[in-house]
Amino acid sequence: MNEQEHRPRIVVINHQAANIHSVGKALERCGADVEITGSAAALSAADGAVLPGVGASDAAMRALEELGLVEPIREFVRSGRPLLSVCLGMQLLFPVSDEGQLPGLDLVGGRVVRFEFGKTDPGSPRLKVPHMGWNSIRFTAPDDERHPVFRGIPDGSYFYFVHSYHCVPSDASDVAAETEYGGPVCAAVVKGELIATQFHPEKSADLGLKIYANFVRHVAETAAARVA
Amino acid sequence: MLAHRIIPCLDIDRGRVVKGVSFVDLRDAGDPAELARFYNEAGADELVFLDITASSDDRDTMVDVVRRVSSEVFIPLTVGGGLRSIDDIRRMLEAGADKISLNTAAINRPELIREAAAEFGSQCIVLAIDAKRVDGPAGVASEGERNLAAESPWRVFTHGGRNATALDAVKWAGYGAELGAGEILITSMDTDGQKTGYDLELLRAISDAVPIPVIASGGAGNLDHMYDALHEGRSDAVLAASIFHFGEYTVSEAKQYLSDRGLPVRPPAVGRTRTP
């Protein structure tokens, strides 16, 4: 299909606590028709959506509740349309986080826990929290068995991470990619059309833009398939 | 494995990139967006923009620069210089900055760090510290119960190294981390612009004192200096300006060198995919 003719409508969910602008700019660069909004109506009319996030989980959940977006996001996911969740957005998918008191969206089983590093050998540098910077990831599936959003990304590619908490899915098959930081850490989740990254593709240079380009193409294809 | 970061720093005066030697004798080195694109292509891991514009009337220029750069370059962007309030910070973040750095404003009112971290998250608050070795009486510095008077050889300076405070640089870094800073950017005013290497003792003292990442700044003259800052100085990232701006080394060469010496770095752009 021709992306020029079918610009998919993608909503970036604006819960006031996110780096929404860079996400919007990355999607536009990849050919999407982007609306940054906190409107449930706009979400329900979208072909695909991105749940971005930086900051604290309680603030984000409170904002989603105040905007009346919690149930519409669940409904969007149930409808089978692609949702890409980034960083804090990925952590919000879980039922519970060590970081906050409020329950999460409960779309993926498991929990969100803080990095805890004990004392290491004297003289050796300890691991810093937040886990900040470029780290390499490896996928749990070979390229042709991955969700289309992650195809064409070589194992060992570096992406930009900034987080103090990390996700521990209860079902290991939900883990799409891992990175290494004091042990294996969940870097990406795929559950149906729920796609999530702990890293920031919008800050990960060309390979990050490739993920957005894959997502935009995938949204266009699923939208076309729904119409057909 | 987490990679050490290489971060070109662009000093910006009224919308143009400049870099001085020891903060004197500024030389024009180009357009911010052009340089940002160039460094992104070369494999820079982040960019730091330091606004050295003297007049606050010209601050809007910086907002435009940030907006333009962040629409084109998709790597983390830190903006510092002249940010005094939550509103100043918000404006930069909304223009597309990923992190902001606080220096003098945090010294004047440390609570700004806590407030900014609460509002925007620690991950986007960088505490920038200009430190210099000082002999002589320490003076008095405290914040509430907290004694921040100099004990280590390094004192915190403001105004590009001209004005001394009574703050101990190592203690100030630790306090800043407690208040919610997500990263420390430490510049040695003794080595800055000298190209004789980073102050490794200072880097190590700071890195050992804080649980958050440390960016080394001031003194890079060759690639050995970067290796030393990361290895001996235990920094997480190195910042450099003139050696990149004037083409003495490319970011790619720096990464190759560090990688050859066994340090983890994000490989320079090899087998890169076409930008959509």
Side-chain angles (χ1 to χ4, degrees):
Chain A
M1 70 172 297
N2 187 330
E3 282 175 52
Q4 261 66 51
E5 288 170 25
H6 302 275
R7 281 166 69 90
R9 283 166 307 158
I10 296 181
V11 154
V12 179
I13 299 169
N14 182 2
H15 50 86
Q16 303 295 334
N19 58 337
I20 43 175
H21 299 278
S22 358
V23 172
K25 286 165 180 171
L27 286 164
E28 273 167 10
R29 170 91 161 236
C30 296
D33 206 346
V34 181
E35 188 182 356
I36 297 173
T37 178
S39 149
L43 176 63
S44 72
D47 298 319
V50 178
L51 180 60
V54 293
S57 64
D58 272 1
M61 280 312 298
R62 206 170 295 120
L64 290 178
E65 274 164 19
E66 280 166 13
L67 291 162
L69 281 171
V70 171
E71 201 42 47
I73 290 172
R74 292 196 182 114
E75 177 52 37
F76 185 89
V77 170
R78 273 196 295 273
S79 75
R81 285 170 289 172
L83 175 71
L84 175 62
S85 301
V86 174
C87 195
L88 177 63
M90 166 156 138
Q91 301 186 355
L92 297 178
L93 302 177
F94 287 78
V96 60
S97 170
D98 283 1
E99 188 190 1
Q101 311 294 319
L102 297 175
L105 293 167
D106 196 8
L107 292 162
V108 179
R111 53 188 296 118
V112 182
V113 300
R114 191 174 162 85
F115 281 115
E116 294 292 356
F117 298 118
K119 294 269 180 220
T120 49
D121 301 333
S124 84
R126 72 211 132 133
L127 289 169
K128 306 285 180 79
V129 179
H131 170 218
M132 180 185 285
W134 297 78
N135 207 333
S136 57
I137 66 167
R138 65 184 173 273
F139 290 95
T140 52
D143 195 79
D144 56 354
E145 290 171 25
R146 290 178 205 157
H147 190 283
V149 167
F150 293 131
R151 287 197 194 142
I153 309 282
D155 267 320
S157 296
Y158 281 80
F159 288 92
Y160 191 81
F161 290 82
V162 186
H163 58 126
S164 299
Y165 294 78
H166 63 102
C167 301
V168 185
S170 47
D171 185 346
S173 67
D174 291 340
V175 178
E178 286 184 329
T179 188
E180 190 76 23
Y181 198 60
V185 172
C186 177
V189 160
V190 169
K191 187 172 180 174
E193 287 299 332
L194 200 57
I195 308 125
T197 63
Q198 181 61 68
F199 53 85
H200 289 276
E202 69 281 0
K203 288 293 147 193
S204 298
D206 287 358
L207 284 172
L209 286 177
K210 183 167 177 60
I211 288 180
Y212 279 110
N214 284 348
F215 180 70
V216 170
R217 192 181 319 108
H218 179 66
V219 170
E221 285 169 2
T222 53
R226 265 200 319 279
V227 172
Chain B
M1 193 169 185
L2 186 64
H4 289 297
R5 287 169 281 155
I6 295 186
I7 308 176
C9 175
L10 286 68
D11 285 3
I12 307 217
D13 186 8
R14 286 167 294 175
R16 296 283 295 173
V17 178
V18 289
K19 172 63 190 179
V21 176
S22 288
F23 293 151
V24 202
D25 296 335
L26 300 178
R27 289 168 66 184
D28 192 336
D31 167 49
E34 198 63 43
L35 266 171
R37 268 198 303 273
F38 169 79
Y39 283 127
N40 177 41
E41 299 277 318
D45 295 310
E46 297 190 26
L47 292 171
V48 169
F49 280 11
L50 190 60
D51 187 7
I52 59 168
T53 306
S55 160
S56 54
D57 296 346
D58 292 321
R59 292 266 178 247
D60 289 347
T61 315
M62 193 60 181
V63 174
D64 291 338
V65 166
V66 170
R67 191 170 289 131
R68 205 151 51 93
V69 169
S70 64
S71 308
E72 298 180 33
V73 175
F74 295 90
I75 57 175
L77 174 62
T78 301
V79 177
L83 303 174
R84 310 230 175 284
S85 66
I86 294 291
D87 280 346
D88 289 346
I89 296 169
R90 189 190 312 279
R91 228 151 61 100
M92 284 304 171
L93 295 176
E94 286 183 351
D98 298 286
K99 314 178 198 178
I100 57 88
S101 75
L102 297 174
N103 190 332
T104 310
I107 294 168
N108 292 342
R109 202 171 71 79
E111 278 301 307
L112 181 61
I113 300 172
R114 195 198 300 277
E115 291 163 13
E119 185 76 21
F120 307 109
S122 289
Q123 83 291 331
C124 65
I125 309 301
V126 180
L127 178 60
I129 301 175
D130 293 340
K132 199 169 172 178
R133 286 172 192 263
V134 173
D135 294 326
V140 179
S142 60
E143 286 293 332
E145 301 284 286
R146 191 65 175 254
N147 172 17
L148 297 172
E151 280 172 22
S152 79
W154 300 279
R155 205 80 65 81
V156 177
F157 276 67
T158 62
H159 299 87
R162 287 196 303 277
N163 298 355
T165 72
L167 292 171
D168 181 295
V170 178
K171 287 184 185 174
W172 175 231
Y175 188 52
E178 279 175 40
L179 287 172
E183 208 167 16
I184 302 287
L185 167 56
I186 179 78
T187 304
S188 163
M189 304 311 297
D190 297 306
T191 58
D192 193 65
Q194 303 300 317
K195 301 195 162 223
T196 50
Y198 298 86
D199 184 338
L200 301 179
E201 259 186 88
L202 169 65
L203 295 180
R204 193 159 180 147
I206 300 278
S207 284
D208 288 348
V210 297
I212 56 177
V214 173
I215 305 170
S217 161
N222 62 42
L223 303 182
D224 272 331
H225 294 153
M226 291 192 176
Y227 176 86
D228 291 342
L230 297 168
H231 185 69
E232 215 175 301
R234 291 184 180 168
S235 307
D236 298 277
V238 283
L239 185 111
S242 49
I243 74 163
F244 292 140
H245 296 337
F246 295 106
E248 290 160 51
Y249 299 96
T250 65
V251 173
S252 194
E253 283 168 349
K255 289 192 160 182
Q256 190 61 54
Y257 179 83
L258 297 172
S259 172
D260 289 346
R261 291 194 66 181
L263 292 182
V265 291
R266 178 173 71 115
V270 282
R272 35 176 301 164
T273 54
R274 193 173 52 85
T275 306

